[in-house]
Amino acid sequence: MSRSEYKFIPTDPEDIIIWLTAMYEEIMDVTVRPASPENQFIHWMAEAIVLERVLTNYTGNQNIPSRAVGENLDALAELFYTQERPPAKAATCTMRFTISEPQAFAVLIPKGTRVTDAGKTLVWETLADVYVDIGKDYADTKVQCQTAGKQGNGYVEGQINSIVDPFAYFLSCENLTESDGGADEATDEEFYDLLRLSMDGYSCAGARGGYIYFAKQVSTEIADVIAASPTPGVVKLYVLMDDGTPATEEMKERVLAACSADDVRPLTDLVSVEDPENVDYHVRFTYYTQEDAAVSAGELEAAVRDKVEQYTAWQCAKLGRDINPSRLIAMLMETGIKRVDLIEPAFTSLKDGSGKDAPQLARLSGLPEIINGGYEDE
């Protein structure tokens, strides 16, 4: 976990050595010299005591959910609404199967029919029996990757186009949507965040936190969720992924299914998953350096560009996050440059979805324009 360990017992070896030495001298009525055998024995004892105290502190921290790891965190999950770590999930997409010509009877595409990409990297399978209707030459159905995890994400339209298990009258196949929804097993930090959110899951009254919890439970790749109710009885969910992009259609379908279940959604709520409103911004600035800088001009330029990438990733990592040029300037100054003449972006306050309007998401428009202004004296 990212949080620092709570120290129940001090573990400073110097303090322990001082304490042991004082106790030994008091009991034995002697003075312990630096080179005496007693001093060596005290140091050995202090090391053993420190190790035991470290283990005691570790044990204590493993009883605190925010600091527990691995199986210890799994055991503590029994205290929460969510009691199991989200496993790895397989990606899905919509597949179109085409037959050679329409038939006078329905053509069965059996459940478990497998397809793959040209390189045979991953294999996908149909989730249910589906028929090509009479008089039609194609049928669309969902397929799921046989390998769980996010490696199944990102197969663009038409990339999954080879069949492993041909059926009668088969002609061709291709995915109509980009594959998405695959996720790795939740990390300790992701699992702890989900445990905290899960406490809102006890409510059956449509709590804001409850919708956020059930949405985030769909995938560990979800970074942010906003639940808004512009009018009574209407719930709109806005989902942002780890890479700073809104949820794909596949992911929105999964979130909607999770949040519309009979044991989740209050009977009077109409739930939908919407896209946030994009707000474009540009990055344009000139930076200046000093001749006696600690690093070379080339290294500074690379560091400046790296900070711009970090800033743009931070800017779109949360729905409703204001476009904040001060943050960019602060990050650029960490590189060791002298100053920044920032032209864009300007500060822009974004809607966070707390009102009736959709939340907004900052999106970088075009490539950053970074100009090296050269040297300036101090």
Side-chain angles (χ1 to χ4, degrees):
M1 301 293 285
S2 59
R3 298 193 180 192
S4 59
E5 184 179 81
Y6 183 83
K7 188 170 290 187
F8 293 91
I9 310 172
T11 56
D12 186 352
E14 293 299 323
D15 291 341
I16 296 174
I17 290 172
I18 292 172
W19 171 67
L20 287 174
T21 302
M23 292 292 294
Y24 184 85
E25 290 180 340
E26 180 180 350
I27 294 171
M28 303 303 296
D29 194 24
V30 297
T31 299
V32 177
R33 303 295 180 184
S36 66
E38 293 89 345
N39 187 54
Q40 300 299 315
F41 180 74
I42 287 172
H43 277 72
W44 177 82
M45 283 293 298
E47 182 178 351
I49 291 172
V50 167
L51 290 175
E52 286 301 316
R53 289 189 175 186
V54 168
L55 290 175
T56 301
N57 282 333
Y58 175 79
T59 302
N61 277 271
Q62 295 312 293
N63 284 276
I64 304 175
S66 63
R67 293 167 174 83
V69 297
E71 294 181 353
N72 298 324
L73 181 59
D74 293 337
L76 290 176
E78 295 182 7
L79 303 174
F80 295 84
Y81 183 87
T82 291
Q83 297 189 347
E84 293 184 2
R85 185 187 298 262
K89 297 180 180 180
T92 61
C93 62
T94 300
M95 199 79 185
R96 172 164 292 181
F97 291 93
T98 304
I99 59 176
S100 55
E101 60 181 357
Q103 300 296 318
F105 52 88
V107 177
L108 172 65
I109 304 173
K111 175 183 176 181
T113 299
R114 295 173 296 170
V115 292
T116 185
D117 58 286
K120 297 180 174 56
T121 308
L122 294 172
V123 176
W124 311 69
E125 63 181 359
T126 56
L127 301 177
D129 289 338
V130 63
Y131 286 93
V132 179
D133 293 334
I134 297 173
K136 291 190 175 182
D137 62 354
Y138 71 88
D140 298 339
T141 186
K142 290 284 186 183
V143 294
Q144 179 174 283
C145 185
Q146 290 186 336
T147 304
K150 61 183 180 182
Q151 63 264 44
N153 295 338
Y155 281 76
V156 298
E157 299 175 25
Q159 194 171 359
I160 305 171
N161 54 15
S162 299
I163 194 163
V164 178
D165 305 308
F167 54 90
Y169 305 103
F170 170 79
L171 178 63
S172 65
C173 63
E174 64 175 352
N175 57 312
L176 302 180
T177 60
E178 182 178 339
S179 62
D180 198 15
D184 296 333
E185 182 182 68
T187 63
D188 289 338
E189 187 168 358
E190 291 168 340
F191 189 27
Y192 170 66
D193 288 341
L194 188 61
L195 290 176
R196 291 185 61 201
L197 287 170
S198 75
M199 303 310 289
D200 285 315
Y202 284 110
S203 172
C204 61
R208 184 189 303 272
Y211 277 115
I212 294 173
Y213 157 68
F214 286 110
K216 280 198 168 185
Q217 198 176 30
V218 171
S219 174
T220 56
E221 301 298 302
I222 294 176
D224 191 24
V225 177
I226 287 180
S229 181
T231 57
V234 174
V235 176
K236 293 186 177 182
L237 302 176
Y238 302 90
V239 181
L240 184 70
M241 308 307 292
D242 277 341
D243 60 0
T245 60
T248 62
E249 292 302 318
E250 294 285 338
M251 183 59 67
K252 286 195 288 187
E253 286 181 14
R254 287 193 175 193
V255 171
L256 182 60
C259 294
S260 298
D262 290 340
D263 57 350
V264 173
R265 176 184 60 83
L267 187 62
T268 54
D269 280 1
L270 175 62
V271 181
S272 62
V273 183
E274 310 284 344
D275 289 327
E277 177 187 344
N278 287 335
V279 177
D280 292 337
Y281 71 95
H282 302 270
V283 172
R284 289 197 301 150
F285 64 87
T286 301
Y287 70 93
Y288 299 87
T289 59
Q290 294 179 230
E291 291 191 29
D292 57 350
V295 296
S296 68
E299 291 173 317
L300 277 177
E301 181 176 354
V304 166
R305 294 188 178 277
D306 182 61
K307 288 297 182 181
V308 171
E309 290 182 6
Q310 292 180 33
Y311 169 77
T312 55
W314 170 85
Q315 189 65 79
C316 66
K318 185 176 177 61
L319 294 169
R321 174 169 282 169
D322 294 340
I323 299 174
N324 189 349
S326 298
R327 174 91 178 195
L328 175 58
I329 293 174
M331 295 175 71
L332 290 172
M333 293 305 294
E334 292 175 356
T335 64
I337 61 177
K338 182 193 172 187
R339 70 180 181 92
V340 181
D341 182 10
L342 184 66
I343 302 172
E344 292 184 279
F347 176 80
T348 307
S349 179
L350 300 190
K351 298 172 184 175
D352 62 1
S354 57
K356 294 186 177 182
D357 297 323
Q360 295 177 315
L361 177 65
R363 303 295 298 170
L364 177 65
S365 178
L367 296 174
E369 297 181 28
I370 304 172
I371 300 174
N372 186 343
Y375 294 122
E376 282 186 347
D377 57 29
E378 188 172 357

